[in-house]
Amino acid sequence: MIDHELLRRRAQELLPDDVFGYFDGGSGAEVTLAREARAWDDVLLEPRVLRDVSGATVATSLLGQPVASPVLVAPMAAQRLAHPSGEVGVAVAARDSGSLMVLSMRSSTRVEDVGQVGPFWQQLYVLQDRGVTDEVVERATAAGALALVVTVDTPVVAGKRVGLPSALPPLGIVPALDRRVVTDERLQQARDVGPRDLERLAETSGLPVVAKGVLSPAAARDCVAAGASAVVVSTHGGRQLDGVVPTPLALPAVADAVGGEVEVYVDGGVRTGSHVLKALALGAQAVLVGRPVLWALATGGPDGVRVLLDDLTAQALEALVLSGCRSCADVGPDLVHASRR
Amino acid sequence: MIDHELLRRRAQELLPDDVFGYFDGGSGAEVTLAREARAWDDVLLEPRVLRDVSGATVATSLLGQPVASPVLVAPMAAQRLAHPSGEVGVAVAARDSGSLMVLSMRSSTRVEDVGQVGPFWQQLYVLQDRGVTDEVVERATAAGALALVVTVDTPVVAGKRVGLPSALPPLGIVPALDRRVVTDERLQQARDVGPRDLERLAETSGLPVVAKGVLSPAAARDCVAAGASAVVVSTHGGRQLDGVVPTPLALPAVADAVGGEVEVYVDGGVRTGSHVLKALALGAQAVLVGRPVLWALATGGPDGVRVLLDDLTAQALEALVLSGCRSCADVGPDLVHASRR
Amino acid sequence: MIDHELLRRRAQELLPDDVFGYFDGGSGAEVTLAREARAWDDVLLEPRVLRDVSGATVATSLLGQPVASPVLVAPMAAQRLAHPSGEVGVAVAARDSGSLMVLSMRSSTRVEDVGQVGPFWQQLYVLQDRGVTDEVVERATAAGALALVVTVDTPVVAGKRVGLPSALPPLGIVPALDRRVVTDERLQQARDVGPRDLERLAETSGLPVVAKGVLSPAAARDCVAAGASAVVVSTHGGRQLDGVVPTPLALPAVADAVGGEVEVYVDGGVRTGSHVLKALALGAQAVLVGRPVLWALATGGPDGVRVLLDDLTAQALEALVLSGCRSCADVGPDLVHASRR
Amino acid sequence: MIDHELLRRRAQELLPDDVFGYFDGGSGAEVTLAREARAWDDVLLEPRVLRDVSGATVATSLLGQPVASPVLVAPMAAQRLAHPSGEVGVAVAARDSGSLMVLSMRSSTRVEDVGQVGPFWQQLYVLQDRGVTDEVVERATAAGALALVVTVDTPVVAGKRVGLPSALPPLGIVPALDRRVVTDERLQQARDVGPRDLERLAETSGLPVVAKGVLSPAAARDCVAAGASAVVVSTHGGRQLDGVVPTPLALPAVADAVGGEVEVYVDGGVRTGSHVLKALALGAQAVLVGRPVLWALATGGPDGVRVLLDDLTAQALEALVLSGCRSCADVGPDLVHASRR
């Protein structure tokens, strides 16, 4: 079992201070970030016993796409800051471990280069210039994106303790983005992103749309009403509105509200197989893992990321088996102690 | 984003020990004070998504007075101890940042000098000698006070770990007060302050009366029955009865009880934009910020205070936008997770 | 306001290690003791406002005996270990401050010497030899005891981390006890103490009986049924069964159960005026303070104890006034936030 | 009263790092293990008073077997790693203190050697090769086992921070197991262990079957339906599924569900007499103690274990008496404060 804290400290030694700080930090007073670490530990499991778990597997399917495990790679900007292989390195690792990468729109690699590795999901911000957004969607679709993950918690980018690193490389998804993120207002997040944007993205792309960044049943219902095929219960890694509800606390009500209609994913401090099992038991079909992937990339390149993802998948399988389940679908709310169910 | 703890430590270096201790400390065993720091962080937010937040603003109006943000300056005694510019310096900063200053009755500056800077609210203790109280009200009204903020939690001044600083300057609001606070019994807080005092102050001054220092629905109702136009949910900065309920816990029931009739404000450990948003979501129309203003004054003079207030306003606006709201009025209890709603 | 922790550390410097450890420690793993420190702080107050508190007083009457404050001195063994003046010194301080001393049966001073100082309450263990118990009652009654405080939580003395100090002085209440506590089995606590013992003590002495050491409504009801005129909600200073409910949590249900019939007192970590007010608000008529009296005795002799008791009384009065009350009887459950009422 | 933490640190000094780490550590991120320490302390007791506790005893009977106390020795592998006397040493201590040893199937001593010391209970994993399991049962039965304790929480062995120690001695229960634990797949835990296995073990052995490792009413009911005569509420010492509910939280619902039909035991961090009393009050008939036995064995050999067990029994008796009870059967849920009952 990989020690994520050790991985983080090694990455801290290897990366320039501003790069590490940019990846590691959160918004505001980092209240959300600090709470994340304990929130999953506070969920209490009650395993089933005397179940035949021969041939148990965590392989599952998400939006129709088979995956070796419900552990996905969260979208993160500018991965070439962590390692020269950048987004391509992560894509290779995700493919080789049977996971799925969500490619950030603020990628430091051309989407076509990532698409050549294999299928992926494309994260999107709706930008002030909708035409640029459409360009990104077009190129991502052409490059093999299987879904659009539209971030809905970022009408503006929240202030961080540590700002953008000085070495931020040119961004490569679309020519229009082939520059530093913050220089052109048209390329910034739209403040008026609304249901119509989600609908339009689904229509024009023909791809399923995943709404990332809901923390309440109401928010989830709004996304589903706007055509989302899935929602991600997310705090944006503690990098947007500070002081929000931890995702394990938000997840059950969201799953109750929309889990019958669409898929539900969750991120925010998922670090162990036990956490993955808890996410499934609270109503998610998959989890997204962020910073640990960057630390693995920084310290071990693509191989490091693959080892990390394989370890998480192995841990998730062990937890599944130990809980008396044979598949992700088998996991239910009865595995969670009543104090949190 | 300004680091309030850093600001506090710099002020500690600059100020004499007894002055810093007087401002920094609380009453009793400082249980209230210690709890304040975490109470706002414990409130959990659930932002709305897919809302058009173009043109969002935190500008609002309080008792009919327009303000650039719902962040006011709490009344604090003897500000010339923190910086030679004293209350005038704070008033200038509050005016320039579009905020509103609540001037302490225990001010170290003549009220006429503060009034020349711009409109303000006058804090009052009902004194044993009601005639002196009336003098203060008259002079404050003449100097441009727009409201009287009557402190209702101080029938006596609670004992503090650190007493009054030796360098306490002459106080200047009224001639009668032009001496050290504690020397004349008639100038001390009245133990028999009652509903009739609030009624009389409203009648004689013609100004709206804000009752500062309620922590329960019953207390709030008593103040409203006595003619208050607003109440402040307050622990007096942890400087009066020690061991009271933290204000974020007290606020919702107070807002339920009287929020339909009068305005509700809150103070006590508000330090970030996220805290301000939480206060609004729990039912307040404004927050009062105390000690950070003193630290900013001590370390940066009037400019330091303006930068602090501007930063809090900017943070509050960012939090508002990230929660999917366009105005303070738009903020509602649905933004708070059910565990605290 | 006296810093109790500072007092404790000074006492630690002055007293031999085994004496300090004997007084300071608790039973078992000291779980109860450790929790006591925070349990009162966790109760949250909601003061009343706009009340006339002129002439407020904490003077009250307990079992018909007027006292200057509801803060009593808890029974503690062998006080000459702390200071040569021992129980007489504490009795003088209690008398001079208008408090009341509960004299331990394991006193290191003859009861007649304590009785000469003034009225007191006599703590009793029912011993295996009931005849010796009767002797103690007789002598205490003759010496002026106004009530018998019968400890009901000690069928055996719990093991402590620190045992009896080597310098334990001869004990003086009755001739039979004029030797080291543990040497004679007949002088040890009776394992079969029952309702009949309480009834008999009340009958034979003609004094009111206070049952000390209840933590549940059922236990309180049993004591009242056996004739108790008052009960003390107590953990025995964390020195008997370890792991029990903190007294502030136990008190409200006990007060609900028997508070209409008998007086209810409480001890366990009461250290400030705010704590005293909380005790009254949760249903007690008085509090008992233990270890701080010993630390004051060790560091300042009788004068030290008087200063301590006066300080607690002054703090209690300040808290009463700040809560908007005029007398102990005026304090009610509405002063406690609903989370604990 | 023995200081378990001190015992642990002494054992750490004496044992090779890998041996200590193997015994001391837990699975996953050791979340369960860390929580265990406080979970029993969080249960709050309310003793009865005025009860005659003369002649109180903690002697009881488990599955018809009289024991001097409800404190049993939990099954633990390879005890010769802790001390040359190994399982025989522990068996002697358990017999001499009137306790009962649950012998691990992963014992480092031949079952016949343990059986010569006296009666014991045999822990079992259902292995992939059911024939080997049957051999173990046959030999254990012949050696004098009075019950089979079948572990139901281990379809696979969870990954640990510290793996198997290099010096792991040959294992001795059955010839087939006379080798390192992990080398032969047929000797590993069966993933398809089900109700039929429990039924079959009860039938073929004629012994009562205890199902060890339930944490929910549903799991307990499944075991009882499969013929279990008792269940053990257990986290496997924090060594199987990480992140599960602490046993004191799980116990009451399990006792409610099956306590009327079968005996219920509990383990997981039981370290004091107060903990034992809490376990009984929450519905258990006995507790199992694990690691402290190993530390006592490592530091003091068989004598050390006997002293430890005697101390726990004495503590349990003291707690029983202090709670106003005369026997284990006398202990009831009324001893637990309503917040946890």
Side-chain angles (χ1 to χ4, degrees):
Chain A
M1 183 173 154
I2 294 172
D3 183 332
H4 286 213
E5 184 51 29
L6 190 63
L7 206 60
R8 176 179 171 272
R9 282 198 300 263
R10 281 194 198 144
Q12 186 167 19
E13 287 163 17
L14 289 170
L15 294 174
D17 280 358
D18 63 345
V19 169
F20 177 80
Y22 170 69
F23 286 146
D24 192 54
S27 56
E30 299 188 343
V31 170
T32 299
L33 197 60
R35 198 144 45 197
E36 207 169 71
R38 285 191 313 272
W40 287 103
D41 288 346
D42 286 347
V43 180
L44 304 175
L45 290 168
E46 298 183 348
R48 298 174 197 151
V49 300
L50 299 180
R51 307 297 165 111
D52 181 356
V53 291
S54 316
T57 177
V58 287
T60 183
S61 126
L62 300 171
L63 298 177
Q65 170 78 3
V67 285
S69 94
V71 180
L72 309 188
V73 176
M76 290 170 291
Q79 298 176 5
R80 279 162 60 192
L81 286 176
H83 190 266
S85 70
E87 285 81 2
V88 166
V90 173
V92 166
R95 181 196 63 199
D96 291 354
S97 76
S99 175
L100 199 57
M101 179 191 194
V102 183
L103 179 65
S104 169
M105 186 193 210
R106 303 303 193 191
S107 167
S108 50
T109 306
R110 296 178 66 254
V111 67
E112 289 77 10
D113 297 340
V114 174
Q116 289 207 327
V117 176
F120 65 101
W121 291 2
Q122 176 66 51
Q123 182 267 343
L124 283 183
Y125 291 111
V126 177
L127 302 184
Q128 296 191 12
D129 186 331
R130 300 300 203 272
V132 177
T133 311
D134 290 346
E135 257 186 86
V136 175
V137 172
E138 253 172 66
R139 285 183 55 188
T141 309
L146 297 176
L148 301 179
V149 177
V150 182
T151 300
V152 295
D153 59 15
T154 312
V156 297
V157 176
K160 312 279 189 307
R161 189 172 43 83
V162 177
L164 291 175
S166 57
L168 198 69
L171 301 174
I173 286 184
V174 291
L177 290 179
D178 198 354
R179 66 202 79 172
R180 304 258 325 206
V181 169
V182 292
T183 49
D184 184 337
E185 192 169 313
R186 294 174 310 124
L187 302 185
Q188 289 181 17
Q189 278 80 347
R191 292 188 167 219
D192 62 345
V193 54
R196 184 66 199 119
D197 285 294
L198 253 66
E199 289 164 16
R200 205 175 50 81
L201 286 167
E203 288 163 19
T204 59
S205 72
L207 294 178
V209 165
V210 181
K212 177 167 176 286
V214 303
L215 287 168
S216 72
R221 272 189 227 106
D222 286 348
C223 293
V224 172
S229 299
V231 296
V232 187
V233 176
S234 172
T235 66
H236 205 126
R239 297 168 78 88
Q240 284 296 111
L241 180 59
D242 194 30
V244 294
V245 60
T247 53
L249 259 177
L251 175 55
V254 170
D256 278 357
V258 304
E261 300 165 67
V262 301
E263 295 188 351
V264 177
Y265 316 138
V266 68
D267 66 20
V270 175
R271 296 293 176 266
T272 67
S274 177
H275 292 172
V276 176
L277 183 68
K278 288 170 178 181
L280 300 179
L282 293 172
Q285 278 82 53
V287 303
L288 283 72
V289 173
R291 291 181 184 86
V293 169
L294 285 177
W295 309 149
L297 184 66
T299 56
D303 276 359
V305 177
R306 191 185 39 71
V307 169
L308 178 90
L309 294 172
D310 286 352
D311 180 61
L312 276 170
T313 297
Q315 285 188 44
L317 177 59
E318 185 186 284
L320 190 91
V321 162
L322 293 177
S323 73
C325 297
R326 296 181 74 162
S327 69
C328 294
D330 204 12
V331 175
D334 63 295
L335 293 181
V336 181
H337 187 255
S339 60
R340 185 61 68 81
R341 207 176 297 166
Chain B
M1 184 174 154
I2 293 173
D3 183 333
H4 286 214
E5 183 51 28
L6 189 63
L7 206 60
R8 175 179 172 272
R9 281 199 301 264
R10 280 193 199 145
Q12 185 167 20
E13 286 164 17
L14 289 171
L15 295 174
D17 280 359
D18 63 346
V19 169
F20 177 80
Y22 169 69
F23 286 145
D24 192 55
S27 57
E30 301 189 342
V31 171
T32 300
L33 197 61
R35 200 144 43 198
E36 208 169 71
R38 285 191 315 272
W40 288 104
D41 288 346
D42 286 348
V43 179
L44 304 175
L45 290 167
E46 297 182 349
R48 298 175 197 150
V49 300
L50 299 179
R51 307 296 165 112
D52 181 356
V53 291
S54 316
T57 177
V58 288
T60 184
S61 123
L62 301 170
L63 298 178
Q65 168 78 1
V67 285
S69 94
V71 180
L72 309 188
V73 176
M76 290 170 292
Q79 299 175 7
R80 279 162 59 192
L81 287 175
H83 190 267
S85 70
E87 286 81 2
V88 166
V90 173
V92 166
R95 182 196 63 198
D96 291 354
S97 76
S99 176
L100 200 56
M101 180 190 193
V102 183
L103 179 66
S104 170
M105 186 193 211
R106 303 303 193 191
S107 167
S108 50
T109 306
R110 296 178 66 254
V111 67
E112 289 77 10
D113 296 340
V114 174
Q116 290 207 327
V117 177
F120 65 101
W121 291 2
Q122 176 65 54
Q123 182 267 344
L124 283 183
Y125 291 112
V126 177
L127 302 184
Q128 295 191 12
D129 186 332
R130 300 299 202 272
V132 177
T133 311
D134 290 345
E135 256 184 271
V136 176
V137 172
E138 253 170 68
R139 285 183 55 187
T141 309
L146 298 176
L148 300 180
V149 177
V150 182
T151 300
V152 295
D153 60 13
T154 312
V156 297
V157 176
K160 312 281 188 309
R161 189 171 43 82
V162 177
L164 292 175
S166 56
L168 198 67
L171 301 174
I173 286 184
V174 292
L177 289 177
D178 199 354
R179 66 203 79 171
R180 303 257 326 205
V181 169
V182 291
T183 49
D184 184 337
E185 192 169 314
R186 294 175 309 125
L187 301 186
Q188 288 182 18
Q189 279 80 349
R191 292 188 168 219
D192 62 345
V193 54
R196 184 67 199 120
D197 286 295
L198 253 66
E199 290 164 15
R200 205 174 51 81
L201 286 167
E203 289 163 19
T204 59
S205 71
L207 294 178
V209 165
V210 180
K212 175 165 176 288
V214 304
L215 287 167
S216 70
R221 272 189 227 105
D222 286 348
C223 293
V224 172
S229 299
V231 296
V232 187
V233 176
S234 172
T235 66
H236 205 127
R239 296 168 79 88
Q240 284 296 110
L241 180 59
D242 194 31
V244 295
V245 60
T247 53
L249 259 177
L251 174 55
V254 170
D256 277 357
V258 304
E261 299 164 67
V262 301
E263 295 188 352
V264 177
Y265 317 137
V266 68
D267 66 20
V270 175
R271 296 293 176 266
T272 66
S274 177
H275 293 171
V276 176
L277 182 69
K278 289 171 177 181
L280 300 179
L282 293 172
Q285 278 81 53
V287 302
L288 284 71
V289 173
R291 291 181 183 87
V293 169
L294 286 177
W295 309 149
L297 184 66
T299 56
D303 276 359
V305 177
R306 192 184 39 71
V307 169
L308 178 90
L309 293 172
D310 287 351
D311 180 61
L312 277 170
T313 297
Q315 285 188 43
L317 177 59
E318 184 186 285
L320 190 91
V321 162
L322 293 177
S323 74
C325 297
R326 295 179 74 162
S327 68
C328 294
D330 203 13
V331 175
D334 63 293
L335 292 182
V336 182
H337 188 254
S339 61
R340 185 60 67 82
R341 206 176 298 167
Chain C
M1 184 174 156
I2 293 173
D3 183 332
H4 286 214
E5 183 52 28
L6 190 63
L7 206 60
R8 175 180 171 272
R9 282 199 301 263
R10 281 193 199 144
Q12 186 168 19
E13 285 164 18
L14 289 170
L15 295 174
D17 279 358
D18 62 346
V19 169
F20 178 79
Y22 169 69
F23 286 145
D24 192 55
S27 58
E30 300 188 343
V31 170
T32 299
L33 197 60
R35 198 145 43 198
E36 208 168 71
R38 284 191 315 272
W40 288 104
D41 288 346
D42 286 347
V43 179
L44 304 175
L45 290 168
E46 296 183 349
R48 298 174 198 151
V49 300
L50 299 180
R51 307 296 165 112
D52 181 356
V53 292
S54 314
T57 177
V58 288
T60 184
S61 124
L62 301 171
L63 298 178
Q65 168 79 2
V67 286
S69 94
V71 181
L72 310 187
V73 176
M76 290 170 292
Q79 299 175 6
R80 279 163 58 193
L81 286 175
H83 190 266
S85 69
E87 285 80 3
V88 166
V90 172
V92 166
R95 182 196 62 198
D96 291 354
S97 76
S99 176
L100 200 55
M101 180 191 194
V102 184
L103 179 65
S104 170
M105 186 192 210
R106 302 304 193 193
S107 166
S108 51
T109 306
R110 295 178 67 254
V111 67
E112 289 77 10
D113 297 339
V114 174
Q116 290 207 326
V117 176
F120 64 99
W121 291 2
Q122 176 65 55
Q123 182 266 344
L124 283 183
Y125 292 111
V126 177
L127 302 184
Q128 295 191 11
D129 186 330
R130 299 299 202 271
V132 177
T133 310
D134 291 346
E135 256 184 271
V136 175
V137 172
E138 253 171 67
R139 285 184 54 187
T141 309
L146 298 176
L148 301 180
V149 177
V150 182
T151 301
V152 295
D153 60 13
T154 312
V156 298
V157 176
K160 311 281 188 309
R161 188 171 45 82
V162 177
L164 292 175
S166 56
L168 199 67
L171 300 174
I173 286 184
V174 291
L177 289 178
D178 198 355
R179 64 204 80 170
R180 304 253 330 202
V181 170
V182 292
T183 50
D184 185 336
E185 192 168 314
R186 294 176 309 125
L187 301 185
Q188 288 182 18
Q189 279 80 348
R191 293 188 166 219
D192 62 346
V193 54
R196 185 68 199 116
D197 286 295
L198 252 66
E199 290 165 16
R200 206 174 49 81
L201 286 166
E203 288 163 20
T204 59
S205 70
L207 293 178
V209 166
V210 180
K212 176 166 177 286
V214 304
L215 288 167
S216 71
R221 271 189 229 104
D222 287 348
C223 293
V224 173
S229 300
V231 296
V232 187
V233 176
S234 172
T235 65
H236 205 127
R239 296 168 79 88
Q240 284 296 110
L241 180 59
D242 194 31
V244 295
V245 60
T247 53
L249 259 177
L251 174 55
V254 170
D256 277 356
V258 304
E261 299 166 67
V262 300
E263 296 188 350
V264 177
Y265 317 138
V266 67
D267 66 19
V270 175
R271 296 293 176 265
T272 67
S274 177
H275 292 171
V276 176
L277 182 69
K278 289 170 177 180
L280 300 179
L282 293 172
Q285 278 81 53
V287 303
L288 284 71
V289 173
R291 291 181 183 86
V293 170
L294 287 176
W295 308 149
L297 184 66
T299 56
D303 275 359
V305 176
R306 191 183 39 73
V307 169
L308 178 90
L309 293 173
D310 286 350
D311 180 61
L312 277 170
T313 297
Q315 284 188 45
L317 177 59
E318 183 185 287
L320 190 90
V321 163
L322 293 177
S323 74
C325 296
R326 293 180 76 162
S327 69
C328 294
D330 203 13
V331 175
D334 63 294
L335 293 182
V336 182
H337 187 254
S339 60
R340 185 61 67 81
R341 208 175 298 168
Chain D
M1 184 174 154
I2 293 172
D3 183 332
H4 286 214
E5 183 51 28
L6 189 63
L7 206 61
R8 176 180 170 271
R9 282 199 300 262
R10 280 194 199 143
Q12 185 168 18
E13 285 164 18
L14 289 170
L15 295 174
D17 280 357
D18 62 346
V19 168
F20 177 80
Y22 169 69
F23 286 145
D24 192 56
S27 56
E30 301 188 342
V31 170
T32 299
L33 197 59
R35 198 144 44 198
E36 209 168 69
R38 284 191 315 271
W40 288 104
D41 288 346
D42 286 348
V43 179
L44 303 175
L45 290 168
E46 298 183 348
R48 297 174 197 150
V49 300
L50 299 180
R51 307 296 165 111
D52 181 357
V53 292
S54 315
T57 177
V58 289
T60 184
S61 126
L62 301 171
L63 297 178
Q65 170 78 2
V67 285
S69 94
V71 180
L72 309 187
V73 176
M76 290 170 291
Q79 299 175 5
R80 280 162 60 192
L81 286 175
H83 190 266
S85 69
E87 285 81 3
V88 166
V90 173
V92 167
R95 181 197 62 198
D96 292 354
S97 75
S99 175
L100 199 56
M101 180 191 195
V102 183
L103 179 65
S104 170
M105 186 193 211
R106 303 303 194 192
S107 166
S108 51
T109 306
R110 295 178 67 254
V111 68
E112 288 77 9
D113 297 340
V114 174
Q116 290 207 327
V117 176
F120 64 102
W121 291 3
Q122 176 66 53
Q123 181 268 342
L124 282 183
Y125 292 111
V126 176
L127 303 184
Q128 296 191 10
D129 186 332
R130 301 298 203 272
V132 177
T133 310
D134 291 345
E135 257 185 88
V136 175
V137 173
E138 253 171 67
R139 285 183 54 188
T141 310
L146 297 176
L148 300 179
V149 178
V150 182
T151 300
V152 296
D153 60 13
T154 312
V156 298
V157 177
K160 312 279 189 306
R161 189 171 45 82
V162 178
L164 291 175
S166 56
L168 198 68
L171 301 174
I173 287 183
V174 293
L177 289 178
D178 198 355
R179 65 202 80 171
R180 304 262 320 212
V181 170
V182 292
T183 49
D184 184 336
E185 191 169 314
R186 294 174 311 126
L187 301 185
Q188 289 181 18
Q189 278 81 347
R191 293 187 167 220
D192 62 347
V193 53
R196 185 66 199 119
D197 286 294
L198 252 66
E199 290 165 15
R200 206 175 50 80
L201 286 166
E203 288 163 18
T204 58
S205 70
L207 293 178
V209 165
V210 180
K212 177 168 177 284
V214 304
L215 287 168
S216 71
R221 272 189 227 105
D222 287 348
C223 294
V224 172
S229 299
V231 296
V232 187
V233 176
S234 172
T235 65
H236 205 126
R239 297 168 78 87
Q240 284 296 109
L241 180 59
D242 194 31
V244 294
V245 59
T247 53
L249 258 179
L251 174 55
V254 170
D256 277 356
V258 304
E261 299 166 68
V262 302
E263 295 187 352
V264 177
Y265 317 138
V266 67
D267 66 20
V270 175
R271 296 292 176 267
T272 68
S274 177
H275 292 172
V276 176
L277 182 69
K278 288 171 177 181
L280 299 180
L282 294 173
Q285 278 81 53
V287 303
L288 284 72
V289 173
R291 290 180 184 88
V293 170
L294 286 176
W295 308 148
L297 185 66
T299 56
D303 276 358
V305 176
R306 191 184 39 72
V307 168
L308 178 90
L309 293 172
D310 287 350
D311 180 61
L312 277 170
T313 297
Q315 284 188 44
L317 177 59
E318 183 185 285
L320 191 89
V321 163
L322 293 178
S323 75
C325 297
R326 296 180 73 163
S327 69
C328 294
D330 204 13
V331 176
D334 63 295
L335 293 182
V336 182
H337 187 254
S339 60
R340 186 61 67 81
R341 208 175 296 166

